[in-house]
Amino acid sequence: MHESLVGTAQQRLLHGAKTLSYAFNCAVHRECDRRGVDDAILFTEDGCTLECPNSSIVVRYGDTLITPDPRIGILHGTSQRELFAWALQEGQHTYYKKLPFAELREADRLYMVHGGWVIPVNELDGQTYDYDSTEIETVNTAIHTGRTHDDALAIGPSSDYE
């Protein structure tokens, strides 16, 4: 765990390099197995959402998708950008920000994205989330057919880091 400004304050560290986190991510998955849960969402000591060990996390509030700002020191996920590209093509809104973990509980929907797949999160700490299986199939098809690829290349945080 670290403070949410570590990505900007400690530039010499190689944040956002998933392969360098392999041992830690394996340990997190072992702990998930021990606890009987499927995955974990990592967060900072001051309560900001980071990512899952092998996935980016995206929340939906109405027609707006939000993900943690990669400038916090996490990987700027390719699949997350593909999901954002699809949402923008569909007339929805996307946003990067410091995302307090507590705000995940207020989300309409919660997604893990990795390896070209958008995966709905059904439950987090006993709270259930709705998901639309048709939407999930549609966005995954858009990603796998390349519909979102070119648009995804240009997606990234555009405002000042919060």
Side-chain angles (χ1 to χ4, degrees), residues 63-135:
D63 69 348
T64 301
L65 298 177
I66 300 172
T67 198
D69 191 315
R71 294 173 291 187
I72 199 172
I74 60 174
L75 180 68
H76 190 195
T78 303
S79 299
Q80 172 269 307
R81 287 182 277 173
E82 297 267 2
L83 173 57
F84 272 25
W86 172 83
L88 292 169
Q89 290 171 0
E90 296 295 314
Q92 299 178 31
H93 307 281
T94 63
Y95 192 61
Y96 291 90
K97 71 174 224 163
K98 280 173 71 173
L99 183 62
F101 186 79
E103 288 184 18
L104 273 58
R105 298 186 194 302
E106 301 166 12
D108 297 325
R109 295 182 180 155
L110 189 58
Y111 310 104
M112 293 177 9
V113 292
H114 71 271
W117 295 98
V118 175
I119 303 160
V121 174
N122 298 318
E123 180 184 345
L124 174 65
D125 295 338
Q127 178 177 334
T128 59
Y129 294 89
D130 182 33
Y131 73 95
D132 179 342
S133 59
T134 302
E135 176 189 73

Side-chain angles (χ1 to χ4, degrees), residues 26-38:
C26 287
V28 170
H29 283 293
R30 281 193 303 276
E31 183 62 16
C32 287
D33 289 343
R34 188 185 74 75
R35 292 180 185 213
V37 297
D38 294 329

